[in-house]
Amino acid sequence: MFLKLFSYLFSRKNYKNFSFMEEIVQKVNNLEKYFVNFSDIDLKNNTYRFKDFLLSGKNIYDFLPEAFATVREASKRVFGIRHFDVQLLGGIVLNNGCIAEMKTGEGKTLTSTLPAYLNALIGKGVHVVTVNDYLAKRDSEFNGKLFNFLGLTVGLNLSGMSLIEKKKAYLSDITYGTNNEYGFDYLRDNMALSVDDKVQRSLYYAIIDEVDSILIDEARTPLIISGTMEYSSDLYIKVNNIVPFLVKQDKEDNDYFRGKGDFVVDGKYRQIFLTERGILKVESLLIKNNLVNDCISLYETNNVVIMHYVISSLKAHFLYKRNVDYLVRGNQILIVDEHTGRIMPDRRWSDGLHQAIEAKEHVNINNESQPLASITFQNYFRLYNKLSGMTGTAITEASEFSSIYNLDTVSIPTNKPLIRNDYSDLVYLTEKEKYDAIINDIIYRRKINQPVLVGTVSIEKSEFISSKLSELGIEHNILNAKFHEFEAGIISQAGKSSMITIATNMAGRGTDIILGGNLIDEIYFLENKNDENINFIKSKWKLDHDLVVSLGGLHIIGTERHESRRIDNQLIGRSGRQGDPGSSRFYVSMDDSLIKIFVSEKIIFLMKNIGINYGESMEHNFINKAIERAQIKIENRNFDFRKQLLEYDDVVNEQRKIVYLKRNKLLFSVNLNKYVDKLIIKVVNLIFIYVFIENKNIILSNYMDKFKTINDILINDFNINILFDFKCSLNINSFKKLVLNSMNTMYLNKKNILGMNLFLNLVRNVLLHSLDYFWKEYLYSVESLKDSIHLYSYAQIDPIQEYKIKSYELFSNMLKNFSYQSLVSINKIIENNEICFIEKHVGSKDLFNKFNIKLYFN
C-alpha cells in the first residue's frame, strides 16, 4: 500500500529511479520468515559473514536486504520493536546518500540503525550527527544495545572528553556526537603538534539527524577556534555610555540626510547606519569623552576602529534583544540560536559585537578573539566521502540541499494516514487582541481537558504567555532555552490530558509527544517496579490516551508565523504522529515582525475594507498566501546569504586543504631531510631575488657585502673568506651554489651535534608552529578583506572575483613567508647548541620563548 502511494508521489519519469526500492523492501520482508528462526549467535555471526563478503570483493549493496533483515530481527529481540516498511524505505534512501523527509513520530532514530549498521561493516567508521549532547547520549545508549547485540562497537563523542576518550569513540564502528563537536575535533586535529594528539579517522560516512537544522539553520555561523587579541575593555564601556544620547530616526522620517534622528535601523537586514546628523553628533560625543582628538577628523584611518565600536554598540542596543537573541546567565552572555531557540554555549559573536553586548548588560567584558582555525558546516560535511540526513521538514529546502550539498531529498510517506486538522490563520489588528484570543483558546482547551502545545518565536514571548496563565492560575510547563536541560522530560509529557506546554522554536525536536504521556518515563521513575504497579500505570495511561484521542488529540497553537515555513512545519508536526488525531492554529497580528515588515499594509487595507473592528479576527486564504509569499521571500534571501557565505569560504577552503595537506605531510613524515633540502633551495632562491632584484633600497658594491647581507638574513655564520677563492670570476649562479653548499654543510654539522632524531623532531615542531602562525595571520587578513571587499561593487567590479584575486595574493605571500621564517627560526634555535634545553622542551612553546623566535614572527 505504502509503495503505491510512494510511487504516486513521483512522476513516471522518476518512477524507474525508485522502483528498485520496492524490490529491496520485498526482499527484506521475504527474509524475515527465515531470520526469525536464527539464534542470537546466528544473527551476530551474520555481521562476520558480511565482513567476509566485503573482503572477497563484494560491496554493501550486494547484501543490503540481508543486512536490513538482520537489523530488523535484532531490533525485535532487543527492543521488542519491528521496523515498519516505511522505515526500511527511509534506510534505503539514507544509504543511497540522500535526505529522507520523515514526519515527526515516524521513528527516524530507529530508521538510522539500518544504514549505520550496513556502512559500519566496511570498517572506516560511521558518524551519526545530532543537534545536542542529550540526543547523542540518548541515541548512543539506546541504539548501542542493538549494535552491541550484532557485534559492533559504539562510541560517544561529547565536548569536554579527554583525548583518550575521544580516540576510543572515533575508533568505534559507529560514533554518536554533535555537529559542533565533530567540526571542532576536525579543526583541533589540524592544529595538533603530534600524530598522537589527533583523534579523528578519515571522514567516511555521516548520517545527520535534524539535517535541516544543521545544514541550513546553522550554516550561517562558521565554527571558529579563536585566540585572544589585545583590546581595551574601557573603550567598549565608554562607547556604550554615549549610545543613550543618540536618537533613532522615525520610520516615517525617510529622508536619510535631513531626518531628525541620528541613526537608521534596517530591520530586514539587521543593519544600522548613522545619518549625517548622527555622524556629527557621534564625533562631538567622542571628542567630549576624550575618545578621539578634536584636531583629527572622524574619517581618519586611526578612528575607523572607534566608529566600528560605535556601530557595534548601536547594534547591541537596538538589534539584539535580551531573552530573544541572548541570555544573561551568571556573568556571561549566552547566544540563543534564532532558529532552534537553543543556547549555543561555545559561540561568541565576532567583530566586537559580543563585547558590545557585554558592556550593555554590565557583565565582564572578555577579550575579542582572533581566528586560529575555522570552517563552515557546509565545507566540513562536504569532506565526508558519503553523506545523508533525515528530518521531518526538508522539502521546502530541497533546492538548497541539491545545489550546495548535492543531496537529493525524498519525502517518505507516513506509516499511517495523517488526519490532523490544520486550520487557517486568525489575523488580528493588534498584538494585545491576538494574545487575548490565544489565552481564551488555551482556557477552552483546558476546560475540555485537551492537551495544548503553544509555540513561540522567542523566550520573551514564551515567558509573557506563561505570566498571563500564571495570573489566571492555570498550571502549565514552559520549555525554552532557559530550561534546555529539562527539554526532553517536559516535551515527552505534553500529550497528557489537560497539559499546557509552552515551547520556543526548538519544541523538543528529537523527542516524541505521545498522547496520554510518555509511559516509559512514568515506569522508569517508579520506586517499586513490580508487575502490579506497572500494570496500574499502563491501565491509567490507556484511559488517558483514549480520552485525549476522543478530544481530538494534541492541539498546536502558533503565536506568530516564523520567517521560515520549515520552522512552522516543525511546530505543527508535533501533533498527528502515527495516525493520531490532532489540530493546529496560528494566530497573527499586524504587530508581528514578519507581518510588519512585509505584508501589513495590504492586510490592514483589506481588514478595514471588510470592516474588521477591534477584538475581531479575520480568516482568509488571501492572508495565508500573502504570509507564505513573505516567508518564501525571506527564505530566498537567507539562501542567498548562505550561498554567498559559502562562495567566500570556498576560496579559503581550497587554501585550507593545501595548508592541512602540507601540515599532515609534516606531521606524518618519517624523514624530513628531503623537505629541509627543498626548503633551503626555495628560501635561498627567494633571498637572492630579494637581494639582487627586488630590493631597490640596498646598494652594495660587491659580492662580499651581498654575502654578508644574506648571512644576516639567514642568521648564519658563513665563512666569508671562501669568497676570495672565486676572486672576480664569481657569477650569481655560482654564488647561489656557494651559499647552498654552505647551508647544507651547516645543517649537516647541526645534525651531528644534536643527533638525527632530535634534529628532525625539532625541525618538525618549528615547521608546524610556523605554519599555524602564518595560517592564523592569513585568516585574520582575509577576514578583514572580506569585510571591505563589497566596496568594489561601487566601481562595477565583482566583489567575489576581486576577493579571489586578492586572497590568492595573500595566500601566496603567506606560503613564502612561512618558508623563509621557518628556516630562519630553525637557524635561530639550533645556533645556540643548548642541547639539554632542546631535548627537554622540543615541541613546547618554552623552546620558542627561550630563543626569542617571536621576533621572526612579526
Side-chain angles (χ1 to χ4, degrees), residues 15-213:
Y15 176 74
K16 290 182 180 179
N17 297 327
F18 294 95
S19 60
F20 76 95
M21 296 184 188
E22 181 177 1
E23 299 174 10
I24 294 173
V25 173
Q26 193 58 51
K27 286 179 182 178
V28 176
N29 288 334
N30 291 339
L31 287 167
E32 187 173 15
K33 58 187 176 185
Y34 297 106
F35 280 19
V36 73
N37 296 316
F38 275 36
S39 67
D40 291 353
I41 297 298
D42 290 336
L43 277 179
K44 187 173 183 177
N45 286 336
N46 273 353
T47 299
Y48 307 119
R49 188 163 61 88
F50 296 149
K51 289 183 177 181
D52 289 338
F53 287 164
L54 292 170
L55 291 173
S56 66
K58 291 185 177 181
N59 62 55
I60 56 175
Y61 295 93
D62 294 329
F63 53 86
L64 185 149
E66 284 186 85
F68 278 23
T70 298
V71 175
R72 175 191 262 181
E73 184 59 35
S75 177
K76 286 159 60 178
R77 300 184 188 190
V78 175
F79 304 133
I81 302 172
R82 177 183 179 275
H83 290 75
F84 300 129
D85 284 358
V86 290
Q87 290 174 314
L88 296 179
L89 181 59
I92 296 168
V93 169
L94 291 173
N95 185 64
N96 288 341
C98 298
I99 290 174
E101 184 187 67
M102 302 178 69
K103 301 301 180 187
T104 300
E106 292 297 305
K108 291 186 288 293
T109 303
L110 193 63
T111 298
S112 68
T113 59
L114 299 163
Y117 171 80
L118 180 61
N119 287 270
L121 298 170
I122 297 172
K124 295 182 179 179
V126 173
H127 293 172
V128 183
V129 187
T130 66
V131 293
N132 61 47
D133 286 347
Y134 164 76
L135 292 176
K137 188 172 186 296
R138 184 200 70 177
D139 292 353
S140 68
E141 291 175 354
F142 183 78
N143 289 338
K145 297 173 186 175
L146 172 63
F147 295 130
N148 293 155
F149 179 84
L150 291 171
L152 296 180
T153 57
V154 177
L156 176 62
N157 175 37
L158 300 177
S159 60
M161 280 185 165
S162 68
L163 194 67
I164 295 173
E165 290 172 322
K166 279 185 172 290
K167 278 188 175 182
K168 183 180 178 182
Y170 278 112
L171 287 172
S172 301
D173 295 311
I174 300 165
T175 307
Y176 284 82
T178 65
N179 52 311
N180 286 345
E181 203 57 26
Y182 284 120
F184 280 129
D185 283 341
Y186 172 76
L187 294 176
R188 284 189 285 260
D189 273 3
N190 284 287
M191 296 173 69
L193 295 175
S194 166
V195 174
D196 294 333
D197 291 337
K198 293 173 79 75
V199 296
Q200 285 188 342
R201 293 190 278 174
S202 61
L203 302 177
Y204 173 62
Y205 178 43
I207 303 171
I208 305 177
D209 192 12
E210 307 297 356
V211 66
D212 56 325
S213 176

Side-chain angles (χ1 to χ4, degrees), residues 216 220 378 400 638-646:
I216 302 294
R220 291 194 290 181
Q378 292 107 316
E400 183 167 351
N638 289 338
F639 170 60
D640 289 339
F641 182 87
R642 289 189 293 267
K643 189 177 180 182
Q644 185 184 65
L645 174 69
L646 185 61

Side-chain angles (χ1 to χ4, degrees), residues 29 549 665 691:
N29 288 334
V549 169
K665 283 182 178 179
V691 171

Side-chain angles (χ1 to χ4, degrees), residues 399-418:
S399 61
E400 183 167 351
F401 285 126
S402 178
S403 62
I404 291 181
Y405 303 99
N406 198 28
L407 291 172
D408 292 329
T409 303
V410 180
S411 184
I412 308 297
T414 56
N415 183 50
K416 295 181 180 180
L418 183 65

Side-chain angles (χ1 to χ4, degrees), residues 315-317 319-329 332-337 343 349 354 357-358 360-361 459 482:
K315 286 181 179 179
H317 280 269
L319 287 177
Y320 290 82
K321 296 181 179 179
R322 183 171 179 167
N323 291 337
V324 177
D325 300 294
Y326 64 89
L327 298 177
V328 179
R329 182 172 290 177
Q332 64 182 74
I333 302 296
L334 298 176
I335 299 175
V336 175
D337 187 281
I343 292 175
W349 283 298
H354 210 95
I357 292 176
E358 286 171 333
K360 166 192 168 184
E361 297 294 347
I459 298 168
K482 284 188 173 180

Side-chain angles (χ1 to χ4, degrees), residues 494-609:
K496 280 186 173 182
S497 61
S498 304
M499 185 67 71
I500 310 297
T501 308
I502 305 169
T504 47
N505 287 328
M506 57 182 165
R509 293 187 70 172
T511 305
D512 279 344
I513 298 178
I514 301 170
L515 301 187
N518 191 322
L519 183 64
I520 297 173
D521 280 358
E522 295 211 20
I523 293 175
Y524 178 81
F525 288 109
L526 270 177
E527 290 185 8
N528 187 5
K529 294 184 178 62
N530 57 43
D531 290 342
E532 183 179 352
N533 287 338
I534 291 173
N535 289 333
F536 175 76
I537 292 291
K538 287 181 177 179
S539 61
K540 183 182 175 184
W541 173 85
K542 182 70 168 57
L543 289 172
D544 200 64
H545 173 269
D546 292 344
L547 172 63
V548 173
V549 169
S550 68
L551 294 171
L554 177 67
H555 180 61
I556 303 293
I557 294 177
T559 59
E560 63 185 273
R561 285 287 181 178
H562 193 269
E563 287 184 354
S564 170
R565 293 169 294 167
R566 183 169 44 83
I567 306 299
D568 289 341
N569 292 339
Q570 289 168 8
L571 175 62
I572 295 171
R574 305 307 304 173
S575 177
R577 62 179 294 281
Q578 287 293 332
D580 286 340
S583 56
S584 69
R585 167 88 79 182
F586 276 85
Y587 290 80
V588 178
S589 81
M590 296 300 101
D591 295 326
D592 295 349
S593 55
L594 174 71
I595 307 301
K596 188 185 295 184
I597 294 173
F598 287 97
V599 293
S600 61
E601 293 180 4
K602 295 178 182 178
I603 297 178
I604 290 173
F605 179 76
L606 178 64
M607 294 177 78
K608 286 182 178 178
N609 283 350

Side-chain angles (χ1 to χ4, degrees), residues 627-641:
I627 292 172
E628 186 176 11
R629 283 194 297 271
Q631 289 176 312
I632 292 172
K633 190 183 295 184
I634 296 176
E635 288 167 6
N636 291 336
R637 186 195 71 191
N638 289 338
F639 170 60
D640 289 339
F641 182 87

